[in-house]
Amino acid sequence: MCGINGIMYFNGDKLDRSILVNMNISIQHRGPDAGNVEIFGNIGLGHRRLSIIDLARHADQPMISDDGQYAIVYNGEIYNFAALKDDLLALGFNFKTSSDTEVVLKAYEAWGTSCFQKFNGMFALAIVDKNIDELIIARDSLGIKPLYLHHSLGLIVFSSEIKAILEHPKVNRAINNQSISEYMWYGNTLGNNTFYRDICEVLPGHFLRFSKSGCFTQAAFFEAQSVEEHEISEAHAVAKTRELLAESVERHM
């Protein structure tokens, strides 16, 4: 399953490692195989690992790029990572692990945020560019993997679970009454709302970029409205559905 955590300060505050450690401990159940935190200036990353593909310690996270510029924490599985790895090898990249995490990291090195459109799978991730003190967080196109965010003046806190965000003493615990109403009516909160007023979900198919000055941008790399409609026969639709289902099962395996 795995889990990710992170903190970013914009106001010059010194990052308290113990807060990041406590966040990581609070989601230990998501990844019992390893738990690490690293601080990169004004940004801290934490990860809980459930080892699946590459069981070796060198595949633990946060994972650092070969040149030391980028660091990543990642939760998920990219089903087409082998094909992407072949593309990256052709571009001259070398790999030290057999993990899909390293493929995701090198894909970002090669293609920037355009890499998210190439991923066939489920993911929640954070990437730090240490050269410019920049943070990127992203969530898969359907929001399969959870990713929550607190964004206030001078502070970013994110995690795979809300309770980890609440480990930060500066996060306001005020209840979102609108979300309670939504839950009572519909059985869930709507949009990116949560039960906490100052904690939201990162929208599916979106990434956010935070600069060291506190400026941020949000952009979609996938939108359901962009799916094209095709006029085909029922027989063709049935055959195509079987084909796509078989391909999907193969990727998942």
Side-chain angles (χ1 to χ4, degrees), residues 25 47 55 71 85 96 103 114 119 129 138 167 198 209 216 251 253:
I25 292 172
H47 186 262
L55 307 184
K85 187 173 184 177
K96 299 177 180 177
V103 173
S114 297
F119 296 159
D129 184 334
E167 290 289 335
D198 291 342
R209 185 193 304 269
F216 81 98
R251 282 193 301 267
M253 295 177 66

Side-chain angles (χ1 to χ4, degrees), residues 5 19 22-23 26-27 148-150 157-159 161-175 194-199:
N5 295 304
I19 297 175
N22 288 338
M23 290 175 66
S26 74
I27 60 168
Y148 297 95
L149 173 69
H150 167 83
V157 187
F158 65 88
S159 180
E161 297 191 19
I162 289 177
K163 66 180 180 181
I165 295 177
L166 295 176
E167 290 289 335
H168 198 291
K170 290 189 176 181
V171 173
N172 190 329
R173 292 169 173 252
I175 297 299
T194 74
F195 287 121
Y196 294 90
R197 190 176 63 200
D198 291 342
I199 300 175

Side-chain angles (χ1 to χ4, degrees), residues 6 8-10 135 137 148-159 165 170-172 192 196-202 208-211 213-218:
M8 182 177 188
Y9 285 115
F10 310 117
L135 173 68
I137 62 175
Y148 297 95
L149 173 69
H150 167 83
H151 183 194
S152 58
L153 186 63
L155 175 66
I156 291 291
V157 187
F158 65 88
S159 180
I165 295 177
K170 290 189 176 181
V171 173
N172 190 329
N192 65 341
Y196 294 90
R197 190 176 63 200
D198 291 342
I199 300 175
C200 66
E201 286 191 76
V202 174
L208 293 91
R209 185 193 304 269
F210 298 93
S211 71
S213 66
C215 295
F216 81 98
T217 57
Q218 176 176 274

Side-chain angles (χ1 to χ4, degrees), residues 18-162:
S18 66
I19 297 175
L20 200 55
V21 169
N22 288 338
M23 290 175 66
N24 235 26
I25 292 172
S26 74
I27 60 168
Q28 184 173 355
H29 61 281
R30 299 187 68 91
D33 296 326
N36 300 305
V37 301
E38 295 286 348
I39 294 176
F40 312 98
N42 62 323
I43 306 172
L45 298 179
H47 186 262
R48 294 299 322 186
R49 186 181 182 205
L50 177 65
S51 304
I52 300 293
I53 296 176
D54 187 332
L55 307 184
R57 292 277 71 85
H58 62 197
D60 286 352
Q61 303 176 43
M63 183 177 286
I64 313 297
S65 62
D66 295 339
D67 63 2
Q69 180 175 353
Y70 301 103
I72 185 174
V73 286
Y74 155 76
N75 168 34
E77 187 175 358
I78 304 302
Y79 305 129
N80 63 333
F81 85 97
L84 291 173
K85 187 173 184 177
D86 289 340
D87 293 341
L88 291 163
L89 286 168
L91 292 175
F93 285 91
N94 297 310
F95 290 83
K96 299 177 180 177
T97 76
S98 57
S99 69
D100 57 346
T101 306
E102 189 176 10
V103 173
V104 172
L105 179 57
K106 285 181 164 56
Y108 183 81
E109 291 183 70
W111 301 303
T113 54
S114 297
C115 72
F116 302 140
Q117 296 173 302
K118 299 178 181 289
F119 296 159
N120 186 321
M122 52 183 179
F123 61 88
L125 61 82
I127 296 174
V128 173
D129 184 334
K130 296 191 286 181
N131 285 1
I132 56 176
D133 296 326
E134 182 178 79
L135 173 68
I136 300 282
I137 62 175
R139 190 179 183 198
D140 64 74
S141 58
L142 297 180
I144 298 172
K145 286 298 182 181
L147 187 57
Y148 297 95
L149 173 69
H150 167 83
H151 183 194
S152 58
L153 186 63
L155 175 66
I156 291 291
V157 187
F158 65 88
S159 180
S160 298
E161 297 191 19
I162 289 177

